[in-house]
Structures are given as structure tokens and as C-alpha cells.
Amino acid sequence: MTAQPLALTHASVDRAAHHRLDEAWLAAAWSHPTTRVFVVSGGQVLVQDTDDGGTEIVMTPAFDAPETEMHRYFLGIDPEDGVRYFALQKDTLPGRMDQAARPAGLREVGGLLSPLQASLMVHAVALENWQRLHRFCSRCGERTVIAAAGHIRRCPACGAEHYPRTDPAVIMLVTDEEDRALLGRQVHWPEGRFSTLAGFVEPGESIEAAVRREVLEEAGVVVGEVEYVASQPWPFPSSLMLGFMAQATTATITVDGEEIHEARWFSREDLRAAFESGEVLPPFGISIAARLIELWYGKPLPRPGSTPR
Ligand SMILES: [Zn+2]
């Protein structure tokens, strides 16, 4: 199956991590006329429509950007044209920069931006979430300060260095002997919203074991073989989704009722009919869940009301 690249997974920017501690280099890069800066605030950035019908992040040269040097994240260098990118973390997005500019989050525009801009945004949002939630030293409780162009927080009291945290989570499309797919509805999801099962990896656990444990806990189904497919950063606030295809060895479903309200086995025909009738809502567009279901389905998922094929 040919498929669009999975959203948010592009590594089209050279992160150039070796520059993060070089203050002189950072200062020169910051003030360079081709450098581009965007503001990130509460997981949102300003975006605008492009002439060709696309969507782009509103970026400015550094000299136009509001000055908050301490909340400046160096995101990397475009290997094609050498442009250096920074994000500025602010309490609010700048107002009235442009009538056409509007605030947007990653879920909304992550699949609309260019791969380069999407990778810059996911990096900036992930750093902002981490910075916001880790202001104090986990060793001694002192307030920490930002360092390494946004990629370290240092504790002035005990000297500890804290690095951005990423929480691994497994997400899996489980199939049975009849090649039906197991999809579940989380307790807080609306009626009709079904997707793959998922859960966090626990301390001391392999990711394969996490797949088997989560499926057993949430749906009561035993999983044998698991095969890694792909990963996707999901900074809401700090997950890394690790996608798997998993083979069930039992078929009886017993939902836990706490995380999963309902789970069902779908044949491809079941799913097509359920999507087209609107009985089941398609999974969220840019998520790896949609990709895993599509991988099993064998072609793009039908949409409500679409022509049966
Ligand atoms: Zn400390």
C-alpha cells in the first residue's frame, strides 16, 4: 500500500545539538537575517493560509520577534538552505500580527503544515510542555533554570541537570485468526468513536510486554506475536507512541470498563459498512492509530457517506 508519510514524524531539520551550549554561536544565529522565529504558547502557534491553499506557521526574523531570551528554543537548521529556526515560548501568542493569522494547535494543523514546519512545531510544543511541567528540581525542589537553548533545565542549588522527558506508550492494532481487527471505545469518547488500544509502558517493562499487558487489561484478549511498525511523537504532553501490529491468540472480549467502555472485532467489511453508515467514526486523522488501521485495511479508510467500493 502506498501511503502518505505519517504526520509529525519527519526529521527534515538538522537539530544541530552540538550548538546548544555555544552561546556565541546561538547569539550569532539568532541575529542572522535569514533566521526564522515563531512563538509557541500553550501548545499553539500562529498560522496563516498560503496562496496555494496550504497552511504555514507565521515566522519572522529574530529582530521582529518579541525578546524573551530566556525562553528561546533552538530547533535546528534546514540542511537545504541553511536557515536557522528558533521558537520563543511566551505566555500568550502575539496579537494582531496579521489579520489572516490565527492560533492553532498541533492536532489541528500537524497534518496541514509542510513536513519541515510540522517537525519544528512538534519539537517546540514538546519542549514547551516539558518546560512548563518541570520548573522545579526533582532532586531538591529548587526552581530550575533553562539552559542549552531550551533542551536542559539546571538546578542552581544542587547542580542537577534535567533533560526533556518522553513517555513511551504502545498503540496496537490487534487482529485475530480470522484477520478481524480489535477496536475499542474509551470511556470518555463519544458514542461511535472506536480506535486501536493503547497504553503507557510501565517501569521495568519491555514494549512488547506492554502491548500484551495492555490488551489483556483493557479487552481481556491474549496476544502472541507482536510486530513493531512505526513511532510518532505525541506531545500531549510528552508521549512517544510506539505502533505495533499484534496477533491475538484468544477472541473473547472482556472490557475493563475503566479505560475501555466497549471493544469489538471488525472484519474489513464490518468496518467499511460501519464507517459508511456513520455508526463508527473514523479515527483522528494525523494519529498513528489511523495509520495502523489503514495498514490492516489495505487501503485508505472509507469516510461516512462515501461510495461503497
Ligand atoms: Zn536541585
Side-chain angles (χ1 to χ4, degrees):
M1 179 176 89
T2 56
Q4 293 294 311
L6 185 57
L8 313 185
T9 62
H10 275 267
S12 45
V13 176
D14 173 4
R15 293 188 173 215
H18 57 288
H19 290 311
R20 288 175 190 160
L21 291 168
D22 186 342
E23 292 300 334
W25 188 92
L26 290 168
W30 174 257
S31 56
H32 195 277
T34 63
T35 290
R36 287 294 175 270
V37 178
F38 62 95
V39 176
V40 59
S41 181
Q44 292 193 312
V45 301
L46 284 180
V47 300
Q48 61 192 4
D49 297 329
T50 58
D51 293 340
D52 59 0
T55 302
E56 66 180 11
I57 300 174
V58 177
M59 297 199 187
T60 65
F63 50 79
D64 279 351
E67 271 300 330
T68 54
E69 193 171 320
M70 293 306 288
H71 295 96
R72 190 167 79 180
Y73 309 154
F74 172 57
L75 301 177
I77 305 170
D78 184 341
E80 300 280 316
D81 58 15
V83 170
R84 274 69 64 97
Y85 290 98
F86 290 82
L88 271 181
Q89 195 280 320
K90 298 272 288 172
D91 291 338
T92 55
L93 290 172
R96 58 97 246 144
M97 278 179 93
D98 186 323
Q99 291 297 335
R102 64 182 188 278
L106 206 46
R107 280 190 171 89
E108 181 192 340
V109 294
L112 305 178
L113 299 172
S114 70
L116 181 132
Q117 288 211 341
S119 72
L120 293 169
M121 184 171 174
V122 73
H123 188 177
V125 168
L127 280 177
E128 187 204 14
N129 285 337
W130 170 68
Q131 298 277 357
R132 188 163 42 80
L133 296 172
H134 295 84
R135 290 176 298 142
F136 296 91
C137 179
S138 54
R139 278 199 197 159
C140 75
E142 268 303 314
R143 187 177 283 275
T144 52
V145 294
I146 190 170
H151 295 76
I152 292 178
R153 290 192 75 93
R154 283 209 179 92
C155 176
C158 77
E161 285 191 344
H162 301 283
Y163 290 82
R165 166 175 163 168
T166 298
D167 301 322
V170 289
I171 182 163
M172 44 276 170
L173 192 281
V174 182
T175 53
D176 71 356
E177 284 183 343
E178 297 168 41
D179 205 22
R180 296 179 301 174
L182 178 65
L183 302 181
R185 181 161 78 79
Q186 289 187 18
V187 170
H188 59 270
W189 285 356
E191 195 75 33
R193 174 75 65 199
F194 280 82
S195 190
T196 50
L197 303 182
F200 286 106
V201 180
E202 293 199 340
E205 186 175 49
S206 73
I207 52 177
E208 293 84 358
V211 170
R212 296 189 180 99
R213 177 183 51 74
E214 284 288 342
V215 176
L216 188 62
E217 281 177 6
E218 293 186 346
V221 169
V222 177
V223 161
E225 287 289 305
V226 300
E227 184 188 353
Y228 173 75
V229 176
S231 67
Q232 182 182 44
W234 201 245
F236 308 110
S238 55
S239 297
L240 175 66
M241 306 306 290
L242 304 158
F244 287 86
M245 303 301 272
Q247 277 283 314
T249 59
T250 64
T252 305
I253 293 171
T254 313
V255 293
D256 63 4
E258 289 178 13
E259 282 184 74
I260 296 295
H261 178 76
E262 183 186 0
R264 282 159 59 181
W265 291 105
F266 290 87
S267 69
R268 290 179 182 77
E269 180 54 30
D270 293 339
L271 195 65
R272 183 188 63 75
F275 277 159
E276 284 171 3
S277 71
E279 179 198 351
V280 168
L281 304 170
F284 188 66
I286 66 167
S287 74
I288 192 173
R291 177 56 51 87
L292 292 172
I293 296 170
E294 215 167 64
L295 199 59
W296 161 79
Y297 191 72
K299 55 189 174 186
L301 297 173
R303 297 282 146 179
S306 63
T307 313
R309 35 181 151 178

